[in-house]
Amino acid sequence: MHYSIKQAARMTGLSEHTLRYYDKENILPYLERTQSGTRRFSDRDIEWIEFLNCLKKTGMSIENIKQYTDLCQQGDETLAERLEIFKAQRLAIEEKIAELNESLQVVKAKISRYSEAYAAYQENNKT
Amino acid sequence: MHYSIKQAARMTGLSEHTLRYYDKENILPYLERTQSGTRRFSDRDIEWIEFLNCLKKTGMSIENIKQYTDLCQQGDETLAERLEIFKAQRLAIEEKIAELNESLQVVKAKISRYSEAYAAYQENNKT
DNA sequence: TTAAAGCATAGAGTGTACTCTAAGTCAAGA
DNA sequence: TCTTGACTTAGAGTACACTCTATGCTTTAA
């Protein structure tokens, strides 16, 4: 199956503008064109975009994604390098989760204190 | 104890530029000045900045932080509203953690596949 | 054949959060 | 007094990731 940019946008949740921007940045390595120049998205492209979405959620920049995409197109010699990228990214995600858990504790503590303060405030302002 | 902007920058890990920017954005409500205009950071300010750092790590924007800061200065009538802000933020953090855990699974799967592919590649290229 | 829809490009504009620069003030030590 | 260093401001500049605009080309249905 092949899809127009409009369909691809709907399927991936990105805008047509963003898909063209990603193409311009060369991070859609499998994307083909018709002879008149229209982009022709395949299932492989859709899957790739969904994978990019996942990488972006972990905080990976377009620049880093570009580097990875380039390595993918250079064949098996870059396998070790690509493996290292993901190992580093795994660490980064784990650190981010740990950091968020810490912040969660701080926010929860705030909620406790505000709950108490608010209860006391209501008590003082009883009619 | 009071600190200069340079000391405050070192203590909080932010730059002097950033601290001045935060002050301009009115998210440092307790910050005082000397009569000649120099900023005078107290321990309370340092704690507040560390708390802002925590909120920022959770993805809260300067704009939202400003709203919260404003509410803090309006007294007890805004207690309920502030409580709601933190409840919403708790939810946002929990969702972010869940999302990161999903991405972590995807990255881990990539690591497994690359580890295998790389082992096979090495096997094929034995001298 | 003509109108509309959908696609293309180059390049300008936007929002966020800084980050830096230029020019000037102020306080302390040689 | 003069220099040095730390501070001040307003406002310009930067990086990132889009987002939009203007203009024009194709394809398709009426």
Side-chain angles (χ1 to χ4, degrees):
Chain A
M1 273 296 287
H2 288 90
Y3 315 98
S4 69
I5 195 164
K6 188 172 206 166
Q7 289 173 309
R10 193 171 35 70
M11 290 167 86
T12 60
L14 299 176
S15 72
E16 297 177 36
H17 289 306
T18 302
L19 290 176
R20 289 196 192 97
Y21 166 69
Y22 282 3
D23 186 22
K24 194 160 69 178
E25 295 296 319
N26 293 312
I27 58 175
L28 304 179
Y30 313 121
L31 184 57
E32 295 181 347
R33 303 277 188 133
T34 64
Q35 80 277 38
S36 71
T38 301
R39 290 177 186 82
R40 217 163 151 267
F41 291 80
S42 68
D43 287 310
R44 194 182 186 191
D45 292 310
I46 302 297
E47 272 173 48
W48 178 261
I49 293 162
E50 276 161 4
F51 174 57
L52 293 193
N53 265 159
C54 162
L55 292 182
K56 279 180 53 50
K57 274 182 201 160
T58 72
M60 195 183 271
S61 68
I62 297 288
E63 186 55 37
N64 279 172
I65 289 173
K66 201 183 303 188
Q67 278 165 22
Y68 170 69
T69 306
D70 289 348
L71 289 176
C72 284
Q73 293 181 273
Q74 283 166 36
D76 286 353
E77 276 103 84
T78 67
L79 278 173
E81 211 172 329
R82 284 183 266 162
L83 179 56
E84 285 314 305
I85 286 175
F86 284 119
K87 282 184 177 173
Q89 200 60 19
R90 179 178 58 188
L91 204 65
I93 297 171
E94 284 166 348
E95 278 170 10
K96 204 162 279 199
I97 289 173
E99 197 176 78
L100 280 174
N101 273 317
E102 262 184 60
S103 297
L104 186 56
Q105 295 318 308
V106 174
V107 168
K108 278 183 177 172
K110 279 279 175 185
I111 289 173
S112 297
R113 272 194 283 135
Y114 269 117
S115 295
E116 276 177 42
Y118 183 52
Y121 170 75
Q122 282 184 315
E123 191 64 25
N124 286 338
N125 291 66
K126 262 187 184 162
T127 45
Chain B
M1 274 297 285
H2 287 89
Y3 315 98
S4 69
I5 194 164
K6 188 172 207 166
Q7 289 173 309
R10 192 172 35 69
M11 291 167 85
T12 61
L14 299 176
S15 72
E16 297 177 37
H17 289 306
T18 301
L19 290 176
R20 290 197 191 97
Y21 166 69
Y22 283 4
D23 186 22
K24 195 160 69 178
E25 294 298 319
N26 293 312
I27 58 175
L28 304 179
Y30 313 122
L31 184 56
E32 295 181 348
R33 304 277 188 131
T34 64
Q35 80 277 38
S36 73
T38 301
R39 289 176 186 82
R40 218 165 150 266
F41 291 80
S42 67
D43 287 310
R44 193 182 187 191
D45 292 311
I46 302 298
E47 271 173 49
W48 177 261
I49 293 163
E50 275 161 4
F51 174 56
L52 294 192
N53 265 160
C54 162
L55 292 183
K56 280 181 51 52
K57 275 182 200 160
T58 73
M60 195 183 272
S61 68
I62 297 287
E63 185 55 38
N64 279 171
I65 289 174
K66 200 183 306 188
Q67 278 164 23
Y68 170 69
T69 307
D70 288 348
L71 289 176
C72 283
Q73 293 180 273
Q74 283 166 36
D76 286 353
E77 276 104 83
T78 68
L79 278 174
E81 211 172 330
R82 284 184 265 162
L83 180 56
E84 285 314 306
I85 285 175
F86 284 118
K87 282 185 177 173
Q89 200 59 20
R90 178 178 60 187
L91 204 65
I93 296 170
E94 284 166 348
E95 279 170 9
K96 203 162 277 198
I97 290 173
E99 196 176 78
L100 280 174
N101 273 318
E102 263 184 58
S103 296
L104 185 57
Q105 295 319 308
V106 173
V107 168
K108 278 183 177 173
K110 279 278 174 187
I111 289 173
S112 298
R113 273 195 282 136
Y114 270 117
S115 294
E116 277 178 40
Y118 182 52
Y121 170 75
Q122 281 185 314
E123 191 64 23
N124 287 337
N125 290 66
K126 263 187 184 162
T127 44

